């Protein structure tokens, strides 16, 4: 593969299929063709003059193909947003994606050969598990505790894998306001994990969709803020709108280049129209008022959920107390199967949740569930937890009546 980057620290990590990914000559020409001094006969661009809505809106470029890496203006906005999170990035290292979900899929594509190990938290974001599973990975699941991944366990598994010459292709983490666990990794652990990744010559994917949604407590700097080798993902889904499908990946230059090839192969470029809409929305600081409104709303909803759990949930159950984000994680006694219980919750009490099993690559989590507090309104949350507690109490009662 011809690379613009002389040094690529990650050649031992890429999947075999990545060597067949290359830059599209047509796409390269397209970016030249957008320069005003060029008369381009190269790409397959429709005539801008004939776009039907041109009379009505003055955003013709929003109807055209755009650069695969994303519009420069939007990448500049993203640069500002991540700076607020403590991450310094050049706009050239930012790739705009169709949601961060697309970045997860492309990372699976460029790194994972069938059977390759990758490290994930247990539980982990189900969309990432699904994306990576489709490349036939071998999941190494490391349990979470209150302040993030179990470092002792991670270190032990990495040294075992090293002995088998099977080091993981990457370590996938959601350190802040974890989906689904609702917890946040401590700063100390973030530092340790960065050192471990270096020691075991692997790369960290830090997925950070939620850190701007902090209700309380002190912000903890992302791993990427002190370690440039981290692949850092973000999204407009949680701070603006998920329907627009806009996210980003900030990666070391050599990985960034592979991601662009994968992006060209997947969809050429992210929708120019949505990029322009979002660029406009984030043009001045008024988006911060919108963020404040979201935080205020979600904080109140979280508080109602926590209060209702305290009031209605029976002894033997516990839950996390998230300082931000959208979810909390409930653990029921280990004899309860939340997948089976869901049918009854929906049928009898008209309540839905996600059973914990979905978030584990290793089959665990059967007694757990993820509860979202950002979507239902406060009175619904209170009523919903009250009804859900009835189902839980019934399950506990049934178990006890058979086991006395
Ligand atoms: C941890 C995590 N990563 C990625 C995503 C995907 O987000 P997007 O809408 O940007 O594809 C989500 C969505 O819920 C998520 O929770």
């Amino acid at each position: 593969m011809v690379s613009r980057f002389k040094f690529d620290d990650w050649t031992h990590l890429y999947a075999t299929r990545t060597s067949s990914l290359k830059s599209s000559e047509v796409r390269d020409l397209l970016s030249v063709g957008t320069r005003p001094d060029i008369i381009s006969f190269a790409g397959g661009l429709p005539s801008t003059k004939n776009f039907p809505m041109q009379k009505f809106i003055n955003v013709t470029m929003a109807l055209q193909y755009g650069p695969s890496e994303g519009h420069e203006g939007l990448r500049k906005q993203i640069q500002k947003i991540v700076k607020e999170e403590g991450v310094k990035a050049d706009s050239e290292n930012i790739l705009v994606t169709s949601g961060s979900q697309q970045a997860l899929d492309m990372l699976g594509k460029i790194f994972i050969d069938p059977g390759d190990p990758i490290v994930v938290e247990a539980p982990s974001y189900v969309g990432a598990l699904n994306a990576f599973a489709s490349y036939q990975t071998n999941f190494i699941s490391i349990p979470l505790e209150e302040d993030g991944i179990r470092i002792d366990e991670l270190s032990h598994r990495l040294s075992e894998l090293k002995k088998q010459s099977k080091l993981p292709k990457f370590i996938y983490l959601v350190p802040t306001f974890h989906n689904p666990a609702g917890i946040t990794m401590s700063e100390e652990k973030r530092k340790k994990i960065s050192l471990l990744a270096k020691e075991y010559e692997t790369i960290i994917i830090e997925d950070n969709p939620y850190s701007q949604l902090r209700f309380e407590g002190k912000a903890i700097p992302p791993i990427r803020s002190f370690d440039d080798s981290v692949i850092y993902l973000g999204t407009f889904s949680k701070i603006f709108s998920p329907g627009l499908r806009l996210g980003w990946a900030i990666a070391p230059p050599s990985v960034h280049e592979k991601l662009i090839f994968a992006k060209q192969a997947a969809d050429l470029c992210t929708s120019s129209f949505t990029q322009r809409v979002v660029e406009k929305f984030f043009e001045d600081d008024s988006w911060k008022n919108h963020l404040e409104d979201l935080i205020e709303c979600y904080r109140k909803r979280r508080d109602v959920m926590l209060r209702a759990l305290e009031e209605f949930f029976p002894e033997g159950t516990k839950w996390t107390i998230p300082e931000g984000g959208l979810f909390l994680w409930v653990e029921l006694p280990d004899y309860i199967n939340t997948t089976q219980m869901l049918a009854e919750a929906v049928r009898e009490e008209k309540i839905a949740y996600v059973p914990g099993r979905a978030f584990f690559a290793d089959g665990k989590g059967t007694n757990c569930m993820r509860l979202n507090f950002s979507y239902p309104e406060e009175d619904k949350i209170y009523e919903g937890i009250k009804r859900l507690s009835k189902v839980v109490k019934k399950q506990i009662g049934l178990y006890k009546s058979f086991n006395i």
Side-chain angles (χ1 to χ4, degrees), residues 121-351:
E121 296 159 300
S124 183
Y125 166 53
V126 62
L129 295 180
N130 289 341
F132 303 147
S134 69
Y135 295 100
Q136 296 150 281
T137 188
N138 171 21
F139 287 108
I140 310 293
S141 299
I142 309 291
L144 285 182
E145 53 193 356
E146 230 164 79
D147 62 346
I149 197 162
R150 287 261 311 267
I151 292 285
D152 52 346
E153 177 81 15
L154 174 63
S155 170
H156 171 67
R157 294 298 293 279
L158 287 172
S159 85
E160 269 184 354
L161 287 165
K162 187 170 185 178
K163 280 183 213 141
Q164 300 158 20
S165 305
K166 265 282 170 202
L167 284 172
K169 288 300 183 80
F170 55 75
I171 301 173
Y172 171 71
L173 303 167
V174 185
T176 305
F177 312 142
H178 191 274
N179 175 7
I183 57 155
T184 291
M185 188 188 287
S186 65
E187 190 163 0
E188 195 191 341
K189 282 195 171 174
R190 291 175 195 226
K191 295 209 164 116
K192 282 190 179 152
I193 210 163
S194 152
L195 292 176
L196 277 176
K198 287 197 175 37
E199 184 182 342
Y200 290 97
E201 295 173 52
T202 191
I203 197 162
I204 292 172
I205 300 176
E206 180 176 29
D207 191 1
N208 189 21
Y210 301 111
S211 71
Q212 300 254 3
L213 294 172
R214 178 172 277 284
F215 315 146
E216 64 206 12
K218 199 169 149 270
I220 302 181
I223 307 173
R224 170 75 200 200
S225 70
F226 56 85
D227 180 350
D228 280 353
S229 69
V230 168
I231 301 169
Y232 187 68
L233 308 185
T235 179
F236 287 104
S237 290
K238 318 297 170 181
I239 55 172
F240 186 33
S241 150
L244 293 165
R245 309 307 304 128
L246 271 191
W248 59 85
I250 300 172
S254 52
V255 178
H256 176 75
E257 184 191 44
K258 312 284 183 303
L259 284 172
I260 291 178
F261 299 164
K263 174 80 182 159
Q264 290 174 347
D267 62 359
L268 304 181
C269 65
T270 301
S271 157
S272 297
F273 186 77
T274 51
Q275 288 189 69
R276 297 286 173 174
V277 170
V278 173
E279 189 184 329
K280 195 89 198 133
F281 183 74
F282 283 82
E283 207 171 55
D284 56 33
D285 276 351
S286 61
W287 67 274
K288 290 194 183 148
N289 302 332
H290 172 67
L291 184 65
E292 282 304 312
D293 291 347
L294 281 181
I295 290 172
E296 187 59 15
C297 168
Y298 295 171
R299 186 204 342 243
K300 282 188 186 147
R301 290 179 182 188
R302 176 210 57 173
D303 287 346
V304 172
M305 185 171 274
L306 288 175
R307 229 179 301 130
L309 284 164
E310 280 296 344
E311 190 172 338
F312 298 115
F313 262 48
E315 217 174 288
T317 60
K318 56 179 184 181
W319 49 87
T320 54
I321 302 179
E323 291 189 332
L326 308 187
F327 307 104
L328 62 80
W329 182 249
V330 179
E331 231 179 288
L332 303 179
D334 55 13
Y335 51 83
I336 294 185
N337 182 319
T338 52
T339 308
Q340 285 163 11
M341 192 178 82
L342 180 62
E344 185 176 341
V346 173
R347 196 179 51 236
E348 304 289 324
E349 299 294 340
K350 307 272 178 297
I351 298 297

Side-chain angles (χ1 to χ4, degrees), residues 15-197:
T16 312
R17 77 176 70 79
T18 302
S19 62
S20 63
L21 286 174
K22 53 183 177 25
S23 180
S24 152
E25 282 165 30
V26 175
R27 298 300 304 165
D28 290 346
L29 279 170
L30 276 181
S31 34
V32 178
T34 54
R35 279 171 38 191
D37 54 332
I38 299 282
I39 299 172
S40 175
F41 301 116
L45 306 183
S47 155
T48 309
K49 292 217 167 66
N50 294 331
F51 282 141
M53 287 149 75
Q54 196 180 359
K55 277 191 191 151
F56 307 104
I57 50 174
N58 191 20
V59 284
T60 47
M61 286 315 289
L63 303 178
Q64 191 55 278
Y65 286 124
S68 298
E69 54 271 36
H71 283 285
E72 177 63 17
L74 185 65
R75 286 189 288 144
K76 288 233 158 82
Q77 309 285 19
I78 293 169
Q79 195 182 19
K80 276 200 280 179
I81 293 170
V82 299
K83 197 164 165 215
E84 309 239 337
E85 295 167 0
V87 168
K88 279 200 210 102
D90 292 335
S91 68
E92 302 94 75
N93 284 347
I94 297 172
L95 171 66
V96 177
T97 55
S98 303
S100 50
Q101 187 65 34
Q102 185 184 43
L104 292 169
D105 179 65
M106 295 193 306
L107 288 164
K109 186 184 249 179
I110 68 167
F111 283 115
I112 302 170
D113 277 319
D116 277 346
I118 62 163
V119 171
V120 294
E121 296 159 300
S124 183
Y125 166 53
V126 62
L129 295 180
N130 289 341
F132 303 147
S134 69
Y135 295 100
Q136 296 150 281
T137 188
N138 171 21
F139 287 108
I140 310 293
S141 299
I142 309 291
L144 285 182
E145 53 193 356
E146 230 164 79
D147 62 346
I149 197 162
R150 287 261 311 267
I151 292 285
D152 52 346
E153 177 81 15
L154 174 63
S155 170
H156 171 67
R157 294 298 293 279
L158 287 172
S159 85
E160 269 184 354
L161 287 165
K162 187 170 185 178
K163 280 183 213 141
Q164 300 158 20
S165 305
K166 265 282 170 202
L167 284 172
K169 288 300 183 80
F170 55 75
I171 301 173
Y172 171 71
L173 303 167
V174 185
T176 305
F177 312 142
H178 191 274
N179 175 7
I183 57 155
T184 291
M185 188 188 287
S186 65
E187 190 163 0
E188 195 191 341
K189 282 195 171 174
R190 291 175 195 226
K191 295 209 164 116
K192 282 190 179 152
I193 210 163
S194 152
L195 292 176
L196 277 176

